[in-house]
Amino acid sequence: MQLESMYQEIILDHYRNPHGRGLREPFEAEVHHVNPTCGDEVTLRVHLEGETIADVSYEGMGCSISQASVSAMYDLVIGKTVPQALETGDHFVTLMQSKGDAAVAEKLEDELEDAVAFAGVSKYPARIKCALMSWMALKDASARALSITETTPAGGKA
């Protein structure tokens, strides 16, 4: 029970003190995702340098889980290549599918850092979409950003 309390504190800290919040330039892609079941929203921008995620900026509104998740995600993906960030996202999906299995959370702890705090969310199917919304937005924005950078001539603008 002490671990669950610590996880709740991590989530609340990310909600109260969001990392990376605020839409910034430059960016290659911007997406807007909404969770229609509860009204959570996020507008997310991705800025790439080559295949590396140089910045993720966002604005959003919604429950503490959705907003804390995007903050924790920000910390995990900056400086990673898009494939590495998407692999981290896959690990987060695995955590969300674990139904609170402590062994899964323990296995993913090093990879997910603060995001492992969302392990308890996986026990509540209605809340899983809240936690996953920002990760789906990152996947969407990264794909768009990569397609733009692949079609842009070196040194030019699309």
Side-chain angles (χ1 to χ4, degrees):
M1 197 60 170
Q2 200 171 18
L3 187 62
E4 255 183 63
S5 177
M6 184 183 78
Y7 282 170
Q8 288 173 347
E9 282 303 312
I10 290 170
I11 290 171
L12 287 174
D13 185 52
H14 273 281
Y15 177 67
R16 292 179 185 134
N17 306 296
H19 304 177
R21 188 174 184 87
L23 294 173
R24 292 181 292 282
E25 293 189 17
F27 64 95
E28 284 70 44
E30 178 181 288
V31 298
H32 183 77
H33 281 222
V34 177
N35 180 350
T37 59
C38 65
D40 294 339
E41 295 186 33
V42 68
T43 299
L44 186 134
R45 291 177 176 175
V46 171
H47 172 52
L48 300 179
E49 290 178 1
E51 260 198 33
T52 300
I53 297 176
D55 192 25
V56 172
S57 63
Y58 64 92
E59 283 294 335
M61 57 184 245
C63 69
S64 60
I65 292 169
S66 72
Q67 299 308 295
S69 181
V70 69
S71 173
M73 180 194 74
Y74 169 85
D75 290 345
L76 287 170
V77 302
I78 299 300
K80 288 187 175 181
T81 65
V82 171
Q84 289 168 333
L86 295 179
E87 182 178 4
T88 300
D90 290 343
H91 290 235
F92 191 77
V93 169
T94 298
L95 182 72
M96 289 297 96
Q97 294 170 340
S98 73
K99 298 182 179 164
D101 185 337
V104 173
E106 188 175 323
K107 181 181 172 192
L108 295 172
E109 192 169 13
D110 288 340
E111 171 73 20
L112 294 178
E113 300 173 13
D114 278 1
V116 78
F118 293 86
V121 173
S122 70
K123 297 177 191 174
Y124 306 99
R127 304 312 300 256
I128 292 171
K129 285 184 181 179
C130 301
L132 287 175
M133 180 180 64
S134 59
W135 290 93
M136 298 304 108
L138 176 70
K139 193 174 189 177
D140 185 13
S142 296
R144 290 180 189 195
L146 281 175
S147 71
I148 288 168
T149 59
E150 289 171 358
T151 60
T152 303
K157 294 274 182 194

